[in-house]
Amino acid sequence: MATVPTIGDFSWLIQLVDAGLIKASFKFSDIRAMLQSLNVLTPEIDAALKTVEANPGLIDIGVQTLKDALAKYPPETPLSEITGGGTPTTPTNPVLTPSVQQVQDAFKALAGIAATSSKALEEFLTTPTGQKVKNEFYVEAQEMAKWVSQLNAGTATPAQFLDKMVEFGSDTTGVALQVYQFFTGKIPTQAGMTYLVDSPTNAADLTDPTYALLNAENRYINMAVNLGVKGEGAAAFNTAYGALDFKGAVTKMYAAIIGNSQAAAAGVNVSAAIDYVVAQESYFKALGGGDLGAKAAAAGFLLHKGLQAGVGVYDDAVREFYADLFAGQATYGVSILGASSAYEGFDGLA
């Protein structure tokens, strides 16, 4: 005999609402994609959701409706009774409730920001001057769930999904990953990524309102100058590029970040691309505050452009890292450049 799902079987959804991880306005039809995007869709939860998805009368139940019902009725109340829908015909299994911490960790690993942070839940951010700016991360977080659903339905390819992940992360985790890789030879630790992307102890992390005023390119340049001129990558960067003139430095950085062969294969005129960057020396010097700063700013510019165009050594490395991240297999605090790279030691600084 089929087991009728009860409102108590889904009490774990209310825990997620109370923790700020999902919105009470969500419907059951939204839940699967969201849990998959957080990588916490267990076989038990999957089975429970299938019992609802199999019934047209239940699939549009809102989480708020469920929450209200749990406050009024005993947990053994059949789910169908709160909407007047029919009885499901598929048996349910005991539901294992994912812990709040488990969901938070999965969301943070994927997105680089705490799921309970107001930055992920609010449509607008307010700068220190009181200016309201659109919260791009909020929009991207909502869209990510839709892309996961499309991927699972076969209406989006893995390559298209990965492109979206790169696009969404390019101005937050992508900045930290690439800039630290270039200037220190490895990406940050997981704790370091938290500090750089979303941390209550860092008033200038990449998802704070102040950074929301900067476009993606300027975020790369800002962090590159900070790390390459006065940060932990400064000494190695000065050793590798300090003695070179600006064009020599740009030529060397272009080979390290983009890769001459990768650029040529993508139809890029390497000489023209380098000349374009060199022609902006005065602009980069103004941003970097001097000769070394100009070179660091140019490095940030190249890192951004490579990822934006989907071309190059660093673009390949970031895409592979994001793929591992979504699969729960990413490793932090190491170099993400493959063994096939021609650069050794501090990658890009040799």
Side-chain angles (χ1 to χ4, degrees):
M1 178 180 292
T3 303
V4 177
T6 68
I7 59 176
D9 289 335
F10 296 93
S11 60
W12 51 272
L13 281 175
I14 307 309
Q15 296 176 26
L16 300 186
V17 172
D18 292 341
L21 298 175
I22 64 173
K23 293 186 174 183
S25 59
F26 281 6
K27 295 182 179 181
F28 271 95
S29 55
D30 303 317
I31 299 302
R32 177 178 295 279
M34 178 60 69
L35 296 182
Q36 285 174 324
S37 72
L38 302 179
N39 201 28
V40 293
L41 183 63
T42 67
E44 292 81 9
I45 292 176
D46 176 69
L49 287 176
K50 284 180 178 177
T51 66
V52 177
E53 293 164 347
N55 287 266
L58 299 180
I59 190 63
D60 286 329
I61 292 177
V63 176
Q64 185 63 55
T65 300
L66 175 66
K67 186 175 183 179
D68 293 341
L70 280 166
K72 296 178 181 178
Y73 307 112
E76 62 270 18
T77 302
L79 189 61
S80 57
E81 286 190 10
I82 67 174
T83 62
T87 301
T89 57
T90 308
T92 60
N93 295 318
V95 176
L96 292 184
T97 304
S99 70
V100 170
Q101 189 62 51
Q102 178 187 6
V103 177
Q104 288 176 344
D105 289 346
F107 189 96
K108 193 172 183 68
L110 178 63
I113 184 172
T116 55
S117 171
S118 62
K119 301 170 188 176
L121 300 173
E122 295 180 358
E123 190 173 356
F124 296 95
L125 298 175
T126 304
T127 69
T129 62
Q131 180 181 357
K132 277 195 171 184
V133 293
K134 187 177 181 180
N135 183 3
E136 295 294 340
F137 187 84
Y138 170 83
V139 176
E140 293 170 357
Q142 304 302 308
E143 192 174 345
M144 175 62 78
K146 296 178 182 177
W147 272 89
V148 172
S149 179
Q150 292 174 19
L151 177 66
N152 292 327
T155 56
T157 67
Q160 289 173 326
F161 178 74
L162 187 56
D163 282 343
K164 270 296 173 184
M165 286 189 66
V166 173
E167 178 186 324
F168 290 163
S170 64
D171 57 355
T172 52
T173 52
V175 179
L177 289 170
Q178 291 198 93
V179 174
Y180 268 78
Q181 175 67 54
F182 182 79
F183 286 99
T184 73
K186 60 184 179 181
I187 64 172
T189 62
Q190 193 163 8
M193 285 291 289
T194 296
Y195 180 78
L196 293 167
V197 177
D198 179 38
S199 171
T201 62
N202 182 2
D205 64 51
L206 287 163
T207 54
D208 273 332
T210 299
Y211 258 102
L213 296 173
L214 298 179
N215 62 28
E217 180 180 304
N218 286 329
R219 292 183 183 205
Y220 280 85
I221 291 174
N222 181 279
M223 183 172 283
V225 171
N226 286 337
L227 198 60
V229 176
K230 53 190 177 183
E232 62 184 280
F237 184 66
N238 186 51
T239 298
Y241 293 96
L244 298 175
D245 63 16
F246 189 71
K247 183 171 184 177
V250 170
T251 301
K252 185 175 181 180
M253 291 188 296
Y254 191 94
I257 294 169
I258 309 297
N260 294 344
S261 60
Q262 288 93 328
V268 177
N269 183 324
V270 175
S271 296
I274 291 173
D275 288 343
Y276 173 78
V277 179
V278 173
Q280 301 180 71
E281 181 178 2
S282 60
Y283 167 71
F284 289 124
K285 187 172 291 186
L287 293 176
D291 291 339
L292 188 64
K295 296 167 187 174
F301 175 83
L302 289 171
L303 289 167
H304 171 250
K305 290 303 182 184
L307 195 64
Q308 184 183 52
V311 176
V313 176
Y314 275 65
D315 174 72
D316 289 343
V318 169
R319 287 172 182 274
E320 184 173 345
F321 180 82
Y322 279 146
D324 289 343
L325 192 62
F326 189 72
Q329 300 172 349
T331 302
Y332 294 84
V334 299
S335 173
I336 58 172
L337 295 190
S340 60
S341 172
Y343 305 96
E344 299 177 353
F346 277 175
D347 298 303
L349 303 184

